[in-house]
Amino acid sequence: MVIEPIIKGVVARSAHPYGCQALVQQHIQFVKNAEQIKNGPKRVLILGASSGFGLAARIALAFGGSEADTIGVSFERGPSEKGVGTAGWYNNVFFKQEAEKEGRIAVNIIGDAFAQETRDQVIEAIETYFEGEVDLIIYSLATGIRPNPNTGENWVSSIKPIGNSVTGATVLLDNDLWVETTVEAATDDEIESTIKVMGGSDWESWVDTLINSESIAQGCQTIAFSYIGSEANYPIYRDGTLGWAKVDLHQASHSLNLKLANFNGSAYATVCKALVTKASVYIPAFTPYIIALYQAMKEEGNHEGCIEQMQRLFSSKFNQAQPPVDAERLIRMDEWELKPSVQERVYEIMQNMNQENFKQLGDYQGYKQAFMQLNGFDIEGVDYQQDIDFETLTSLKP
Ligand code: NAI
């Protein structure tokens, strides 16, 4: 069979296995040639390892100088009668293949990170492969739903503004249509649920679980990823439900920092740059900002993707006993995004951008290409006409 891209709105319904393989390999090559990570962690657990920042962190730490062994947790689907499977599934498969070629341990645990069963599997894997202890825990889950451990009912996140509604545009990736939307303000329940899903409490509960199972090494650190943004997107992000959830995450970093101090370790929230990922394309009314940002940063020559962000984080900031932090103890990887020259240009583009000209003024082409590449499409050197055997795909194990 020939695998074609299938996109519905902002969701990809197919993925190209060998495109995913090519992208993983390209990113490995990138980190090998980049500034190397010195004295990095050797035994790393990544929650949310199959795409976006989690996958990039895994590649950086395994191949960018630290030579880390990794256990990755993700929620992905393999090939079945329903389809070819998700990009993250193949990222897991091919990351593991490449890591094992270089003698590194790479364990993939596919399951719901909120389930006790998954936690038990992780503890067992740490026992089996990491001599019982982990040096770094990366929390990079992005999801819209989390079961309440006390009631079993689900908290469902709502990406909404708080107080006032916000009007903006979302560009649908299947037909390149710019759609004006008004996002109504969140209710108190929606705010609360979003904080439960995307805030710091699950991160904290993971670290508590690993403390209780005595899986924390001396000097163990943990990081989770955050976003703040600029005035151009405060109404939908920082001042909305997601922003409030991120404040909760920042607070969790302080309490985890105290807990890990007992192991001479530490915890940080790391604020990253806005990037196209499976998760971020869901944020309503966010596309104009991100395509203006890509345009502005590419013009300035300081655009980065997830892989560049993660290699720079671990080689130049997180490699110090005291990583540089801001007044709120946040590690800032968004410093180039927030440069006044970049933000002035973003503002200028956004002022003039509309449904007629967004492809000319903003970097919509780069945005769409990044989205296609996340799913294994539009990658140079991949033969998209090749006949792919379903049996071969089912034999690929993550
Ligand atoms: P992503 O969608 O690319 O990756 C999410 C990961 O979480 C995947 O590996 C997925 O399999 C896993 N996952 C989701 N639900 C799960 C579950 N129930 N059990 C196990 N695994 C599960 O997302 P992205 O964008 O890399 O987000 C990661 C973090 O980075 C989030 O906290 C996000 O807010 C943050 N961030 C993202 C930015 C962006 O622009 N994309 C910017 C700054 C921070």
Side-chain angles (χ1 to χ4, degrees), residues 47-55 73-76 88 111-114 118 139-145 198 224-228 237 242 246 249 270-280 283 286 290 306 374:
L47 303 164
S50 60
S51 61
F53 284 105
L55 174 64
V73 177
S74 59
F75 208 38
E76 301 293 349
D112 183 359
F114 300 115
T118 307
Y139 188 88
S140 188
L141 296 182
T143 176
I145 199 161
M198 286 300 287
F225 301 118
S226 183
Y227 184 69
I228 294 175
Y237 200 99
L242 271 182
K246 291 303 185 190
L249 185 92
T270 300
V271 184
C272 294
K273 163 182 192 268
L275 276 168
V276 178
T277 66
K278 206 172 68 184
S280 67
I283 304 175
F286 203 72
I290 204 159
C306 289
L374 287 177

Side-chain angles (χ1 to χ4, degrees), residues 295-328:
Q295 180 67 30
M297 294 187 81
K298 286 182 185 176
E299 283 172 8
E300 270 210 10
N302 54 15
H303 175 74
E304 294 175 305
C306 289
I307 195 69
E308 288 86 358
Q309 281 257 294
M310 291 297 102
Q311 185 67 14
R312 187 160 70 85
L313 169 67
F314 292 113
S315 62
S316 73
K317 299 210 179 189
F318 199 64
N319 58 340
Q320 306 168 36
Q322 302 282 328
V325 289
D326 69 8
E328 293 177 36

